[in-house]
Each structure stands twice: as structure tokens, then as C-alpha cells.
Amino acid sequence: MSLHVVVEADGGSRGNPGPAGYGAVVREAATGEILLERYDSLGIATNNVAEYSGLIAGLRAAAELNADRVDVRMDSKLVIEQMCGRWQIKNAGLRPLAAEAAALVGKFGEVTFDWIPRDRNKAADALANRAMDEAAGKRVPDVTPEPAAPAKPRSWAPPSLEHATRIILVRHGSTSLTSQGRYSGRGDVPLTDEGEAQAMAAAGRVAGISRDVAAVLSSPLSRCTRTAELIAAEVGGVPVTVLDDLIECDFGAWEARTFAEVQETWPDEMTAWLESTSVAPPGGESFQAVAKRVRAAMATVLSAYPGKTVVLVSHVSPIKLILRDALAAGDAFLHRLFLDAAGVSTMDVWPDGNIAVRSVNETAHLR
């Protein structure tokens, strides 16, 4: 006898990334009767990671019941669209979760995915919040709680360092385009001999900050992966992992040209680009688009390595955008900050969202 069930799943994060949890409810399709419930906390994670975790838990529960048909209902548009194949999974940190969910889907005769409004997903949402509450040591209320007291102002003094994730940002060493002051975006230009020496010096500086490095993550372009390899070797041989979202801005038609050349040929486009992060170079990518994927990369890092030290080897634009967000600065910051080849910047990020930027563009190791 076949069993047709409905899986309602949800996940949440208080901070994104922050303390996270998921919930899943499996109902008999015909009657709406609850057959199984699943919920758990995830430590520090993003909303998207938590939502995928809820989906996986729900599918596993349906498999335990030997269900043949499964209707998945979630209020996460991202998860639903990605599982249906209509949206690409650009965040590398979500791909393993999506693959696990897809493997579970293959165990059933038929699976459908439908988006529902949040107010129709209250049961799964309540379980996700229960998981987060219990992880925080709170009593799960039996009645609607009183409104929370206003949050206390944050102190300028950060909490204990043992809870922070340390992010060490390193720009790659020099290339032939770097030395000529030319826009260098998606072109895969290798390090020069000088760039190799700079990368080795940066590796020594990173080791001076911390030899207990959990991961070295890099843009896929060779000028970064080579810099990352030298750093990884210096801090104990941890593997280099490519994170596609750390790639440089696509400068389109401006690639390999100097500022002066661009201003002469595209004066109006250059003015518009300098005035707004929503404007892209002809055939290229806007800083707003870069910022979106860089934030996704940071969320992946903070979710995967809470409380650890992680090195990110990237380019001028992604590093500037990370620092802009960390310092809560305006867009003018992007055109006022200079980042040297093989410069090193360091910041600490706490689970509650507090950030301390400790250094920007260190270059003493290059002298």
C-alpha cells in the first residue's frame, strides 16, 4: 500500500549567519494528520543552510515511513526553485546540501516541490524556533510570550576571542597587469617573479598572525590560487579550497586597460560607474553584483568554520567590499581605499554579528 505524505520544512538563523535551527513536519496527505516531527539546532549557520537542513530532515523522515509520494512545501523560494532546477546553486556551501536532498528525492516514486507563504508553514517554523530556543538554554513557552525588552546597546568592547571567527584577507601578488596599473578582472594572468616573492612574504605574515589556520580559500584565478598555495604551505600544509564567489569583478570591455585609457574612450560610462555601485562597465559586472556573491561567500565561511581562523585569498574588489561591509562604510569607501598586491587585512567576526577590523592593507612584510 502506497503512502502519500506532505513534508513541511523550515529553518532559521538569528543573525544570518548566527545560531540556527530547523524543523520538519510529515503529514498524511489525505487527512493532514502529523505522522512525524523533526527539529534540531545547527550551531552557527545561515538561513539558507538551515532551510536546506529542514528539507533534508523532512525527506529522511518520509523515507523512514516508507512513503512513496512526497509533496514538499516550504516558504523558502530559494530552496524550492533550486530543487526544481529553475535557479542555479551559486553558493558553493549549499551545493553539498542540495546534492544530499536530491539523493533522498531519488528514493521516492514521486516528489513535488511547492512554495507556500510563511503563515501556512507555521508548524515547521515553530519547530525551528524551538530548536534555536532549546540550544540557547531557554524554556519553550506554552503560551505566547510577552514582547521582548528592548535590546541593550552593543558595547564597543568585543566578547572573548575564543568565540570569534578570524578572517585573514590577502590580495594576490603582482602580475604584469598589476605593475602597469591596468584593470585585471576575469583574465587569468599569472604572478610575476616579483608577485611570487610578494606572495611568499604574505605567507610569512599570515603565519605570524596564526599558524592554527583551519582553511585557505581562494578565488579560482591562478594569481590567487598560487598565492594561496604558498600561504597554505607556510601555515602547515592545509589544502587550498577554491571558492568561486571570491573571483574578481568582471570589468568587461575595460579589461587590461588603464584608468586613463578607459576615461578617454568611455568618459560617460566611467563617470556613471564611479558614482553608483549599481552601474557595470560595458559588458561587465557591477559592484552591487560582486557584493551579493561576496556576502554569500562570507556566509559560507562563517557557517563552515565558526570560531576558527580562515584565510581568504582574493582580489581588490571583493576584499574592499568585505571591508566596506565590516566597517559599515559608504560606497565612497571603495574608491578611497588602496590595497597593495599581497597586502594583508584581518578581522574578527562573532556569532552575534559583532565585527572587529584589526588591520587593513598591512604591507610591512613587503619591505
Side-chain angles (χ1 to χ4, degrees), residues 37 63 71 93 142 167 251 292 308 313 319 328 337 340 366:
E37 292 182 341
D71 296 332
D142 297 322
I167 306 294
F251 291 111
K292 183 177 180 180
K308 306 292 185 180
V313 182
I319 294 175
L337 174 65
D340 289 273
L366 301 175

Side-chain angles (χ1 to χ4, degrees), residues 7 21 31 36 39 43 51-52 56 79 88 113 133 187 190 200 210 230 236 242 248 262 301 329 331 353 366:
V7 170
T31 64
L36 283 177
Y39 69 95
E51 286 161 345
Y52 261 110
I56 290 168
V79 173
Q88 292 184 351
F113 289 91
D133 287 338
M200 292 177 66
S210 176
L230 293 169
V242 168
E248 178 60 290
V262 170
V301 171
D331 290 340
L366 301 175

Side-chain angles (χ1 to χ4, degrees), residues 141-352:
D142 297 322
V143 296
T144 302
E146 293 295 323
K152 295 180 180 179
R154 288 181 176 175
S155 167
W156 64 269
S160 170
L161 277 177
E162 66 179 292
H163 301 299
T165 301
R166 172 153 290 182
I167 306 294
I168 303 175
L169 302 164
V170 183
R171 186 189 170 196
H172 61 80
S174 288
T175 70
S176 59
L177 296 184
T178 308
S179 60
Q180 297 175 43
R182 296 182 180 275
Y183 285 102
S184 183
R186 300 298 176 85
D188 202 358
V189 187
L191 296 180
T192 59
D193 290 344
E194 179 188 19
E196 288 263 343
Q198 291 171 336
M200 292 177 66
R205 176 58 191 136
V206 170
I209 296 172
S210 176
R211 286 193 173 274
D212 186 19
V213 172
V216 177
L217 308 179
S218 173
S219 155
L221 299 180
S222 62
R223 57 189 183 270
C224 284
T225 56
R226 178 56 181 158
T227 301
E229 287 168 0
L230 293 169
I231 293 171
E234 187 69 19
V235 296
V238 296
V240 174
T241 301
V242 168
L243 192 56
D244 289 341
D245 284 337
L246 293 178
I247 199 170
E248 178 60 290
C249 177
D250 185 346
F251 291 111
W254 299 352
E255 179 74 15
R257 298 176 184 269
T258 65
F259 182 89
E261 290 170 348
V262 170
Q263 193 146 38
E264 181 179 355
T265 308
W266 294 276
D268 295 337
E269 292 87 345
M270 171 61 78
T271 298
W273 181 69
L274 291 172
E275 289 179 350
S276 174
T277 57
S278 67
V279 176
E285 181 183 29
S286 71
F287 279 154
Q288 281 189 4
V290 180
K292 183 177 180 180
R293 59 178 169 79
V294 168
R295 286 174 185 144
M298 284 294 292
T300 297
V301 171
L302 294 171
S303 174
Y305 304 101
K308 306 292 185 180
T309 296
V310 182
V311 180
L312 305 186
V313 182
S314 189
H315 310 262
V316 168
S317 303
I319 294 175
K320 280 187 176 184
L321 288 160
I322 290 171
L323 290 170
R324 181 201 65 176
D325 289 354
L327 292 166
D331 290 340
F333 174 89
L334 302 173
H335 302 296
R336 296 181 180 182
L337 174 65
F338 186 85
L339 295 177
D340 289 273
V344 176
S345 304
T346 306
M347 55 190 277
D348 294 324
V349 184
W350 281 267
D352 65 357

